[in-house]
Amino acid sequence: MTGQPEHVDAVVVGSGFGGAVASYRLAEAGRSVVVLERGKAYAPGEFPRAPAQMGNSFWDPSEGLLGLFDVWTFRGLEGVVSSGLGGGSLIYANVLLRKDEHWFVHDSPLPGGGYENWPVSRADLDPHYDAVERMLGATQYPYPNEPKTAAMRESAARLGLHYEYPPLAVTFAPTPGSPPVSGAQLPMPSYGNIHGQPRRTCRLCGECDVGCNDGAKNTLDHTYLSAARHHGADIRTLTEVKGFSPLPGGGYEVRFVRHDEQRPPGRCARQTLHRITCDRLVLGAGTFGTTFLLLRNRSALPGLSRALGTRFSGNGDFLGFLVNAKDPKVAGGYRHLHGSRGPVITGTIRVGDAQDGDGSTGRGYYIQDAGYPAFADWLVETSQLKEVARRGARFAWSRLSRRLSRSAKSGLSADMAALLGPANLSDSSLPLLGMGRDVADGVMGLRKGYLDVRWTTTTSEEYFSRVRQTMGDIAGDLGASLQDNPIWWTKRVITVHPLGGAPIGSHVAEGVCDSHGEVFGFPGLYVLDGAAMPGPVGANPSLTIAALSNRACDRMLESAPVVRRATREPAPPPTPPPTPPPTTAEEVMTAPRDPDATSLSFTEEMKGFVSLGVADPEEGERQGRHQLQKLMFHLTITADDVERFVAEPQHEGSAEGYLECDALGGRLPVEAGWFNLFTSTQDAAVRQMLYRLHFSDLGGNPLTFVGHKTVRDDPGFDVWRDTSTLYFRIHRGHVSPQDVTHQGNGDAAVVAAGVITIHLPDFLRQMTTFRTDGPQPAEALEGFARLFLGQLWEVYGPRIVERADQS
């Protein structure tokens, strides 16, 4: 990363429902906008269908996978999100329902403490719901008598449940107001189309959730993003943001990599890191992506709300299956549902909530028909191994019998029909998707550098039981059995609507962002996606996410960004070079080695606790222990020339290895390190062991670990405690001794502080790691030991002698 980066008014990270809306609104207003989308663009006809294509349709760049589906697994749930231009709109079911007016709850207690609180209302969002619906072409499903739609509507009526046709972002007719036509070509909108490919009306193929190859879905790439590009937005795909940080004077630097579809697997670590600066930064990478970015760059955001990572929920997502629906009035007794015909969702059943004030109890929810592509019917039928084997045996016997009897009948049509069978299972079965107001008590964090979600169905058990009961009632009414998603047997769910992690709130103690998505304490930094939700939307959340983004853009365009252009300094390089004293570990490591010198090295491992946003090590240790925020380092200390190391008063060597801290992003390599053994202080009876380590967090923000052990003879036997306890601070940037001392004096900002210690098993292991290299190994060990023990004697010896004399 060299040279001056390009600068724009706004960078938008991600192109889902929040990012796409923001990119269009800002570009339309004349702002220079760059959209950074990690995934590929998918024009109509480019979504995978064949098995060979589907195998490469998942997202994991470390394995060379740059596909559409990003699948996550956490404790308590699985998650499926999208990676592509248009974000989640590429694989969602098109439903544009508004959040229920009474479900904008206030001060709703959460089991682990705190409250679900929505700082916006339905009235705040209604004008923005209108605007998004117009842009996405919301329309009702025009084929109400298709089997699955009719069955759900009629069952709801018999059970006394509320049923409606939700607005869908799907084009069924070639022109507004004309009758629906299957597969008709659509006219080009005034703002053009980002793909330059023709689109067709819906063919009722059930493929909405695997990408619409007709372009009938009014996805964000066909609408908001095409309009944004028309107004000048620079939209870049296969561009993944890794880190960001505030700039002096305002604005932000964004660091990203460019993915190459031809790059071999496992090569992402070698990608070049690029950067761009902006006045405003909009995070719209989705609940998982945005929260992960904020967590991994937390060290660059001092004072960020402690609400980061809280209020996670799966929007109450619950999947069930109606199997073998019956209808005695139909020949064969099976009810035809034709689950693969139509858009994925065509209608919805709403069950009331105690917040509605109409006598309803519990937490409300929706249940919707969940269609699927036709190829899934084949998978269902061929999965019945016994039935397939039975029909195959009948076919083989029929053919053999005819051969043996020399039958003159040459037609095979009836036999082929019998071999395929009636396909009653697939034709009479239908998935049901539930969603609603589960409990938003999940917590997101980092674990060994990966995103971690701690969430359980336990606190939402009553909610899920009610959803499942209603699904069972529908199944019973349709003469079907209800089968659970197999992972429900372990009380796990699959969510396609993850929400929370950077919730909006009324103040910094309640949320990460204000009601317009602007991060508290960081002007110009916005979270405009599912991560900003302070709780479940209840209904399908895409419309609410887009409406909140549209509302935030009104505020953005009304105010000027907090950037002092006249005085804003150029973005500093990410790793400013240190200005160390004349002889440094870095110089020692890079200098040619004296062939007559003998080196000595040993490995040290220390563990303890740390807290972000704290400057006092003891307070950091106390808070970190309470928060279970751990830090450790594993270092190899090296003196390249032991004779010189012993002779010089600073006794300086180099330190290599890694730090490990989940709060900073997991295992982080030391880029340069210095170690000083028993340096003198102003107090002749006190010595210090000093550590200075340059490293970077997971987002690429440079940091410096500065620590000291203080060796003094206090009352009692404290030599072990003094030599095994390290007090440390972590400073922003790669700082030198001139920038900040080991006691914390200086101008470098403190990111975190804490205390780590050597545990006795680690110390015993350390004693086995001493190594020498050179012509005089015995003399090197002797010299190092003499220095170490001699310094200890200088500190503790006088009192020992004094006690001996007194006795």
Side-chain angles (χ1 to χ4, degrees), residues 6-22:
E6 65 177 312
H7 180 84
V8 294
D9 293 329
V11 168
V12 179
V13 182
S15 59
F17 285 97
V21 170

Side-chain angles (χ1 to χ4, degrees), residues 381-445:
E381 291 301 324
T382 55
S383 68
Q384 303 175 84
L385 298 180
K386 290 183 179 180
E387 182 61 27
V388 170
R390 187 179 298 113
R391 293 199 300 265
R394 288 189 191 129
F395 179 81
W397 175 249
S398 174
R399 296 295 302 135
L400 180 60
S401 298
R402 291 187 188 183
R403 292 280 185 181
L404 293 174
S405 65
R406 297 185 177 182
S407 171
K409 185 177 180 180
S410 56
L412 281 180
S413 296
D415 288 343
M416 293 297 297
L419 177 62
L420 290 174
N424 288 325
L425 177 61
S426 60
D427 193 43
S428 63
S429 300
L430 182 69
L432 295 181
L433 177 62
M435 67 192 73
R437 289 211 314 119
D438 60 345
V439 179
D441 59 349
V443 178
M444 308 175 76

Side-chain angles (χ1 to χ4, degrees), residues 305-308 311 502-514 520:
S305 170
R306 291 185 179 271
L308 178 63
R311 312 281 179 80
I504 56 176
S506 300
H507 48 80
V508 71
E510 182 179 85
V512 173
C513 325
D514 65 18
F520 288 114

